[in-house]
Amino acid sequence: MSRLLLDSTVLIDALRGRPAAERLRGLRRVGVEPWVSAVSVEEIWRGLQPEEEPLARRLVGALRLAPLGAAEGQRAGRWRREFASRGITLHQADCLIASAAVGVGAALATANVSDFPMPELEVQHWEAS
């Protein structure tokens, strides 16, 4: 079974019943195990309305949680430093999400492909509504 870490953009789209919701429901049927990082959980929780929490809990509870430890922090910091030396600013949250994906051997599903230029990361474009 392959692994796919879902970025915040995909999770928000799914929570709102947009196209990502149906695509997400079909992942396991095609042999893909969906994952999430704590960074994305925080990002979606920050924008939730109270009535959306039960659905968000169900969604997040159905996903595997990718660990964020020292190795992931070091990888994320290295990416930020290396890209900054070339004049490219990467955001801390994006680097941590990407590092979590690499750490569990997962591709990353996102609507914001340009935020994830890391060469070690396989990125899938999931268009958001």
Side-chain angles (χ1 to χ4, degrees):
M1 182 170 277
S2 65
R3 295 175 174 184
L4 183 65
L5 192 134
L6 308 170
D7 181 34
S8 310
T9 57
V10 171
L11 294 169
I12 291 166
D13 219 43
L15 283 170
R16 299 212 168 119
R18 295 180 182 148
E22 187 58 38
R23 194 169 177 185
L24 181 55
R25 278 191 281 277
L27 286 178
R28 286 197 171 93
R29 284 192 299 268
V30 296
V32 177
E33 183 178 49
W35 289 68
V36 66
S37 77
V39 175
S40 290
V41 172
E42 184 279 331
E43 287 180 341
I44 63 169
W45 238 262
R46 186 176 357 136
L48 284 178
Q49 298 299 316
E51 66 274 8
E52 295 174 313
E53 282 197 31
L55 178 58
R57 274 196 188 87
R58 247 188 359 262
L59 173 61
V60 170
L63 305 172
R64 300 276 314 261
L65 182 65
L68 280 175
E72 289 77 23
Q74 291 166 7
R75 184 182 302 115
R78 188 181 70 249
W79 284 333
R80 291 186 81 199
R81 182 184 66 236
E82 289 172 358
F83 278 90
S85 74
R86 299 191 317 242
I88 301 168
T89 301
L90 298 180
H91 298 282
Q92 180 182 41
D94 294 336
C95 287
L96 288 169
I97 291 166
S99 188
V102 170
V104 297
L108 176 71
T110 182
N112 298 325
V113 173
S114 64
D115 291 343
F116 300 95
M118 302 79 170
E120 302 96 319
L121 181 65
E122 177 192 339
V123 180
Q124 294 182 10
H125 183 222
W126 282 37
E127 211 165 299
S129 298

